PDB file of all heavy atoms in Angstrom:
ATOM      1  N   ASP A 183      12.964  -3.916 -15.337  1.00 97.00           N
ATOM      2  CA  ASP A 183      11.625  -3.575 -15.802  1.00 97.00           C
ATOM      3  C   ASP A 183      10.777  -2.909 -14.732  1.00 97.00           C
ATOM      4  O   ASP A 183       9.602  -2.645 -14.933  1.00 97.00           O
ATOM      5  CB  ASP A 183      10.906  -4.833 -16.315  1.00 97.00           C
ATOM      6  CG  ASP A 183      11.580  -5.375 -17.567  1.00 97.00           C
ATOM      7  OD1 ASP A 183      12.098  -4.563 -18.342  1.00 97.00           O
ATOM      8  OD2 ASP A 183      11.604  -6.605 -17.742  1.00 97.00           O
ATOM      9  N   ILE A 184      11.399  -2.684 -13.587  1.00 97.00           N
ATOM     10  CA  ILE A 184      10.685  -1.972 -12.528  1.00 97.00           C
ATOM     11  C   ILE A 184      11.304  -0.581 -12.417  1.00 97.00           C
ATOM     12  O   ILE A 184      12.514  -0.457 -12.269  1.00 97.00           O
ATOM     13  CB  ILE A 184      10.813  -2.689 -11.166  1.00 97.00           C
ATOM     14  CG1 ILE A 184      10.331  -4.137 -11.259  1.00 97.00           C
ATOM     15  CG2 ILE A 184      10.042  -1.932 -10.091  1.00 97.00           C
ATOM     16  CD1 ILE A 184      10.697  -4.970 -10.042  1.00 97.00           C
ATOM     17  N   GLN A 185      10.472   0.425 -12.533  1.00 97.00           N
ATOM     18  CA  GLN A 185      10.976   1.786 -12.391  1.00 97.00           C
ATOM     19  C   GLN A 185      10.438   2.390 -11.105  1.00 97.00           C
ATOM     20  O   GLN A 185       9.248   2.317 -10.834  1.00 97.00           O
ATOM     21  CB  GLN A 185      10.523   2.649 -13.563  1.00 97.00           C
ATOM     22  CG  GLN A 185      11.319   2.384 -14.832  1.00 97.00           C
ATOM     23  CD  GLN A 185      10.539   2.716 -16.067  1.00 97.00           C
ATOM     24  OE1 GLN A 185       9.574   3.467 -16.009  1.00 97.00           O
ATOM     25  NE2 GLN A 185      10.924   2.134 -17.182  1.00 97.00           N
ATOM     26  N   ILE A 186      11.361   2.975 -10.351  1.00 97.00           N
ATOM     27  CA  ILE A 186      10.952   3.662  -9.128  1.00 97.00           C
ATOM     28  C   ILE A 186      11.203   5.142  -9.338  1.00 97.00           C
ATOM     29  O   ILE A 186      12.337   5.557  -9.568  1.00 97.00           O
ATOM     30  CB  ILE A 186      11.769   3.183  -7.904  1.00 97.00           C
ATOM     31  CG1 ILE A 186      11.698   1.661  -7.772  1.00 97.00           C
ATOM     32  CG2 ILE A 186      11.272   3.855  -6.636  1.00 97.00           C
ATOM     33  CD1 ILE A 186      12.628   1.096  -6.704  1.00 97.00           C
ATOM     34  N   LYS A 187      10.145   5.910  -9.291  1.00 97.00           N
ATOM     35  CA  LYS A 187      10.301   7.352  -9.448  1.00 97.00           C
ATOM     36  C   LYS A 187      10.159   7.983  -8.066  1.00 97.00           C
ATOM     37  O   LYS A 187       9.087   7.960  -7.474  1.00 97.00           O
ATOM     38  CB  LYS A 187       9.229   7.886 -10.412  1.00 97.00           C
ATOM     39  CG  LYS A 187       9.626   9.167 -11.104  1.00 97.00           C
ATOM     40  CD  LYS A 187       8.660   9.480 -12.227  1.00 97.00           C
ATOM     41  CE  LYS A 187       8.183  10.917 -12.113  1.00 97.00           C
ATOM     42  NZ  LYS A 187       7.044  11.175 -13.006  1.00 97.00           N
ATOM     43  N   ALA A 188      11.261   8.489  -7.546  1.00 97.00           N
ATOM     44  CA  ALA A 188      11.267   9.143  -6.242  1.00 97.00           C
ATOM     45  C   ALA A 188      12.367  10.184  -6.289  1.00 97.00           C
ATOM     46  O   ALA A 188      13.291  10.073  -7.096  1.00 97.00           O
ATOM     47  CB  ALA A 188      11.536   8.118  -5.137  1.00 97.00           C
ATOM     48  N   PRO A 189      12.279  11.208  -5.462  1.00 96.00           N
ATOM     49  CA  PRO A 189      13.330  12.225  -5.512  1.00 96.00           C
ATOM     50  C   PRO A 189      14.680  11.658  -5.068  1.00 96.00           C
ATOM     51  O   PRO A 189      14.719  10.767  -4.220  1.00 96.00           O
ATOM     52  CB  PRO A 189      12.835  13.292  -4.528  1.00 96.00           C
ATOM     53  CG  PRO A 189      11.844  12.591  -3.656  1.00 96.00           C
ATOM     54  CD  PRO A 189      11.254  11.483  -4.466  1.00 96.00           C
ATOM     55  N   ASP A 190      15.795  12.168  -5.659  1.00 96.00           N
ATOM     56  CA  ASP A 190      17.124  11.749  -5.202  1.00 96.00           C
ATOM     57  C   ASP A 190      17.358  12.263  -3.787  1.00 96.00           C
ATOM     58  O   ASP A 190      17.947  11.605  -2.959  1.00 96.00           O
ATOM     59  CB  ASP A 190      18.208  12.310  -6.131  1.00 96.00           C
ATOM     60  CG  ASP A 190      18.124  11.678  -7.519  1.00 96.00           C
ATOM     61  OD1 ASP A 190      17.711  10.508  -7.601  1.00 96.00           O
ATOM     62  OD2 ASP A 190      18.430  12.369  -8.505  1.00 96.00           O
ATOM     63  N   ILE A 191      16.874  13.476  -3.588  1.00 95.00           N
ATOM     64  CA  ILE A 191      17.003  14.094  -2.268  1.00 95.00           C
ATOM     65  C   ILE A 191      15.623  14.572  -1.829  1.00 95.00           C
ATOM     66  O   ILE A 191      14.972  15.342  -2.544  1.00 95.00           O
ATOM     67  CB  ILE A 191      17.968  15.295  -2.301  1.00 95.00           C
ATOM     68  CG1 ILE A 191      19.368  14.808  -2.708  1.00 95.00           C
ATOM     69  CG2 ILE A 191      18.012  16.001  -0.956  1.00 95.00           C
ATOM     70  CD1 ILE A 191      20.362  15.932  -2.957  1.00 95.00           C
ATOM     71  N   ALA A 192      15.159  14.080  -0.700  1.00 94.00           N
ATOM     72  CA  ALA A 192      13.867  14.508  -0.173  1.00 94.00           C
ATOM     73  C   ALA A 192      14.123  15.447   0.993  1.00 94.00           C
ATOM     74  O   ALA A 192      14.830  15.091   1.925  1.00 94.00           O
ATOM     75  CB  ALA A 192      13.062  13.299   0.282  1.00 94.00           C
ATOM     76  N   GLU A 193      13.581  16.657   0.902  1.00 88.00           N
ATOM     77  CA  GLU A 193      13.829  17.601   1.986  1.00 88.00           C
ATOM     78  C   GLU A 193      12.982  17.273   3.201  1.00 88.00           C
ATOM     79  O   GLU A 193      13.376  17.502   4.332  1.00 88.00           O
ATOM     80  CB  GLU A 193      13.565  19.029   1.509  1.00 88.00           C
ATOM     81  CG  GLU A 193      14.712  19.499   0.641  1.00 88.00           C
ATOM     82  CD  GLU A 193      14.468  20.856   0.029  1.00 88.00           C
ATOM     83  OE1 GLU A 193      13.563  21.556   0.515  1.00 88.00           O
ATOM     84  OE2 GLU A 193      15.177  21.192  -0.933  1.00 88.00           O
ATOM     85  N   ASN A 194      11.807  16.741   2.959  1.00 91.00           N
ATOM     86  CA  ASN A 194      10.917  16.423   4.061  1.00 91.00           C
ATOM     87  C   ASN A 194      10.635  14.927   4.080  1.00 91.00           C
ATOM     88  O   ASN A 194       9.916  14.411   3.247  1.00 91.00           O
ATOM     89  CB  ASN A 194       9.614  17.218   3.895  1.00 91.00           C
ATOM     90  CG  ASN A 194       8.661  17.003   5.042  1.00 91.00           C
ATOM     91  OD1 ASN A 194       8.944  16.253   5.965  1.00 91.00           O
ATOM     92  ND2 ASN A 194       7.521  17.660   4.987  1.00 91.00           N
ATOM     93  N   GLY A 195      11.235  14.250   5.044  1.00 92.00           N
ATOM     94  CA  GLY A 195      11.087  12.804   5.137  1.00 92.00           C
ATOM     95  C   GLY A 195       9.673  12.356   5.446  1.00 92.00           C
ATOM     96  O   GLY A 195       9.345  11.183   5.314  1.00 92.00           O
ATOM     97  N   ALA A 196       8.824  13.308   5.875  1.00 93.00           N
ATOM     98  CA  ALA A 196       7.450  12.936   6.218  1.00 93.00           C
ATOM     99  C   ALA A 196       6.589  12.734   4.989  1.00 93.00           C
ATOM    100  O   ALA A 196       5.554  12.081   5.049  1.00 93.00           O
ATOM    101  CB  ALA A 196       6.824  13.994   7.121  1.00 93.00           C
ATOM    102  N   VAL A 197       6.999  13.339   3.881  1.00 94.00           N
ATOM    103  CA  VAL A 197       6.216  13.240   2.657  1.00 94.00           C
ATOM    104  C   VAL A 197       7.162  13.038   1.473  1.00 94.00           C
ATOM    105  O   VAL A 197       7.691  13.981   0.920  1.00 94.00           O
ATOM    106  CB  VAL A 197       5.359  14.517   2.414  1.00 94.00           C
ATOM    107  CG1 VAL A 197       4.431  14.305   1.237  1.00 94.00           C
ATOM    108  CG2 VAL A 197       4.562  14.884   3.651  1.00 94.00           C
ATOM    109  N   VAL A 198       7.408  11.790   1.134  1.00 96.00           N
ATOM    110  CA  VAL A 198       8.275  11.480   0.003  1.00 96.00           C
ATOM    111  C   VAL A 198       7.418  10.831  -1.088  1.00 96.00           C
ATOM    112  O   VAL A 198       6.910   9.735  -0.897  1.00 96.00           O
ATOM    113  CB  VAL A 198       9.414  10.523   0.416  1.00 96.00           C
ATOM    114  CG1 VAL A 198      10.339  10.253  -0.765  1.00 96.00           C
ATOM    115  CG2 VAL A 198      10.189  11.086   1.597  1.00 96.00           C
ATOM    116  N   PRO A 199       7.240  11.525  -2.212  1.00 97.00           N
ATOM    117  CA  PRO A 199       6.425  10.926  -3.266  1.00 97.00           C
ATOM    118  C   PRO A 199       7.159   9.773  -3.944  1.00 97.00           C
ATOM    119  O   PRO A 199       8.333   9.899  -4.277  1.00 97.00           O
ATOM    120  CB  PRO A 199       6.194  12.085  -4.240  1.00 97.00           C
ATOM    121  CG  PRO A 199       7.252  13.076  -3.952  1.00 97.00           C
ATOM    122  CD  PRO A 199       7.728  12.864  -2.547  1.00 97.00           C
ATOM    123  N   VAL A 200       6.490   8.667  -4.113  1.00 97.00           N
ATOM    124  CA  VAL A 200       7.084   7.495  -4.754  1.00 97.00           C
ATOM    125  C   VAL A 200       6.102   6.959  -5.795  1.00 97.00           C
ATOM    126  O   VAL A 200       4.920   6.813  -5.523  1.00 97.00           O
ATOM    127  CB  VAL A 200       7.386   6.385  -3.725  1.00 97.00           C
ATOM    128  CG1 VAL A 200       7.924   5.141  -4.427  1.00 97.00           C
ATOM    129  CG2 VAL A 200       8.383   6.863  -2.692  1.00 97.00           C
ATOM    130  N   GLU A 201       6.633   6.728  -6.982  1.00 98.00           N
ATOM    131  CA  GLU A 201       5.819   6.195  -8.057  1.00 98.00           C
ATOM    132  C   GLU A 201       6.504   4.933  -8.572  1.00 98.00           C
ATOM    133  O   GLU A 201       7.685   4.959  -8.883  1.00 98.00           O
ATOM    134  CB  GLU A 201       5.778   7.251  -9.172  1.00 98.00           C
ATOM    135  CG  GLU A 201       4.474   7.338  -9.915  1.00 98.00           C
ATOM    136  CD  GLU A 201       4.545   8.445 -10.958  1.00 98.00           C
ATOM    137  OE1 GLU A 201       4.553   9.632 -10.566  1.00 98.00           O
ATOM    138  OE2 GLU A 201       4.602   8.122 -12.145  1.00 98.00           O
ATOM    139  N   VAL A 202       5.788   3.838  -8.621  1.00 98.00           N
ATOM    140  CA  VAL A 202       6.369   2.579  -9.071  1.00 98.00           C
ATOM    141  C   VAL A 202       5.675   2.128 -10.345  1.00 98.00           C
ATOM    142  O   VAL A 202       4.455   2.090 -10.412  1.00 98.00           O
ATOM    143  CB  VAL A 202       6.209   1.476  -7.995  1.00 98.00           C
ATOM    144  CG1 VAL A 202       6.782   0.153  -8.501  1.00 98.00           C
ATOM    145  CG2 VAL A 202       6.876   1.889  -6.699  1.00 98.00           C
ATOM    146  N   THR A 203       6.470   1.817 -11.365  1.00 98.00           N
ATOM    147  CA  THR A 203       5.919   1.262 -12.593  1.00 98.00           C
ATOM    148  C   THR A 203       6.594  -0.072 -12.841  1.00 98.00           C
ATOM    149  O   THR A 203       7.815  -0.154 -12.894  1.00 98.00           O
ATOM    150  CB  THR A 203       6.194   2.198 -13.792  1.00 98.00           C
ATOM    151  OG1 THR A 203       5.692   3.499 -13.460  1.00 98.00           O
ATOM    152  CG2 THR A 203       5.481   1.708 -15.044  1.00 98.00           C
ATOM    153  N   SER A 204       5.796  -1.105 -12.971  1.00 97.00           N
ATOM    154  CA  SER A 204       6.335  -2.422 -13.302  1.00 97.00           C
ATOM    155  C   SER A 204       5.905  -2.766 -14.718  1.00 97.00           C
ATOM    156  O   SER A 204       4.730  -2.813 -15.021  1.00 97.00           O
ATOM    157  CB  SER A 204       5.795  -3.471 -12.327  1.00 97.00           C
ATOM    158  OG  SER A 204       5.997  -4.754 -12.887  1.00 97.00           O
ATOM    159  N   ASN A 205       6.907  -2.970 -15.566  1.00 97.00           N
ATOM    160  CA  ASN A 205       6.595  -3.345 -16.944  1.00 97.00           C
ATOM    161  C   ASN A 205       6.632  -4.857 -17.127  1.00 97.00           C
ATOM    162  O   ASN A 205       6.630  -5.356 -18.242  1.00 97.00           O
ATOM    163  CB  ASN A 205       7.581  -2.671 -17.906  1.00 97.00           C
ATOM    164  CG  ASN A 205       7.390  -1.157 -17.886  1.00 97.00           C
ATOM    165  OD1 ASN A 205       6.260  -0.677 -17.875  1.00 97.00           O
ATOM    166  ND2 ASN A 205       8.481  -0.420 -17.828  1.00 97.00           N
ATOM    167  N   ILE A 206       6.677  -5.568 -16.015  1.00 96.00           N
ATOM    168  CA  ILE A 206       6.701  -7.029 -16.090  1.00 96.00           C
ATOM    169  C   ILE A 206       5.278  -7.515 -16.360  1.00 96.00           C
ATOM    170  O   ILE A 206       4.344  -7.118 -15.654  1.00 96.00           O
ATOM    171  CB  ILE A 206       7.237  -7.624 -14.771  1.00 96.00           C
ATOM    172  CG1 ILE A 206       8.643  -7.094 -14.496  1.00 96.00           C
ATOM    173  CG2 ILE A 206       7.219  -9.146 -14.820  1.00 96.00           C
ATOM    174  CD1 ILE A 206       9.154  -7.365 -13.113  1.00 96.00           C
ATOM    175  N   ALA A 207       5.119  -8.346 -17.392  1.00 95.00           N
ATOM    176  CA  ALA A 207       3.787  -8.824 -17.744  1.00 95.00           C
ATOM    177  C   ALA A 207       3.194  -9.617 -16.595  1.00 95.00           C
ATOM    178  O   ALA A 207       3.891 -10.393 -15.944  1.00 95.00           O
ATOM    179  CB  ALA A 207       3.866  -9.685 -19.001  1.00 95.00           C
ATOM    180  N   GLY A 208       1.937  -9.386 -16.344  1.00 95.00           N
ATOM    181  CA  GLY A 208       1.247 -10.163 -15.320  1.00 95.00           C
ATOM    182  C   GLY A 208       1.569  -9.738 -13.903  1.00 95.00           C
ATOM    183  O   GLY A 208       1.445 -10.526 -12.967  1.00 95.00           O
ATOM    184  N   THR A 209       1.978  -8.489 -13.733  1.00 96.00           N
ATOM    185  CA  THR A 209       2.249  -7.988 -12.381  1.00 96.00           C
ATOM    186  C   THR A 209       0.989  -8.067 -11.532  1.00 96.00           C
ATOM    187  O   THR A 209      -0.041  -7.540 -11.916  1.00 96.00           O
ATOM    188  CB  THR A 209       2.751  -6.537 -12.445  1.00 96.00           C
ATOM    189  OG1 THR A 209       4.012  -6.514 -13.102  1.00 96.00           O
ATOM    190  CG2 THR A 209       2.916  -5.947 -11.048  1.00 96.00           C
ATOM    191  N   GLU A 210       1.084  -8.784 -10.418  1.00 96.00           N
ATOM    192  CA  GLU A 210      -0.105  -8.954  -9.587  1.00 96.00           C
ATOM    193  C   GLU A 210       0.019  -8.339  -8.198  1.00 96.00           C
ATOM    194  O   GLU A 210      -0.978  -8.165  -7.509  1.00 96.00           O
ATOM    195  CB  GLU A 210      -0.474 -10.433  -9.474  1.00 96.00           C
ATOM    196  CG  GLU A 210       0.682 -11.310  -9.035  1.00 96.00           C
ATOM    197  CD  GLU A 210       0.438 -12.794  -9.327  1.00 96.00           C
ATOM    198  OE1 GLU A 210      -0.326 -13.406  -8.583  1.00 96.00           O
ATOM    199  OE2 GLU A 210       0.997 -13.317 -10.306  1.00 96.00           O
ATOM    200  N   ALA A 211       1.245  -8.008  -7.801  1.00 97.00           N
ATOM    201  CA  ALA A 211       1.391  -7.364  -6.500  1.00 97.00           C
ATOM    202  C   ALA A 211       2.660  -6.529  -6.472  1.00 97.00           C
ATOM    203  O   ALA A 211       3.654  -6.865  -7.113  1.00 97.00           O
ATOM    204  CB  ALA A 211       1.423  -8.403  -5.388  1.00 97.00           C
TER     205      ALA A 211
END
Side-chain angles (χ1 to χ4, degrees):
Chain A
D183 294 327
I184 304 168
Q185 283 154 20
I186 306 172
K187 205 169 130 192
D190 293 329
I191 298 172
E193 284 175 16
N194 183 359
V197 187
V198 182
V200 177
E201 215 178 289
V202 178
T203 306
S204 163
N205 294 318
I206 301 168
T209 294
E210 52 197 283

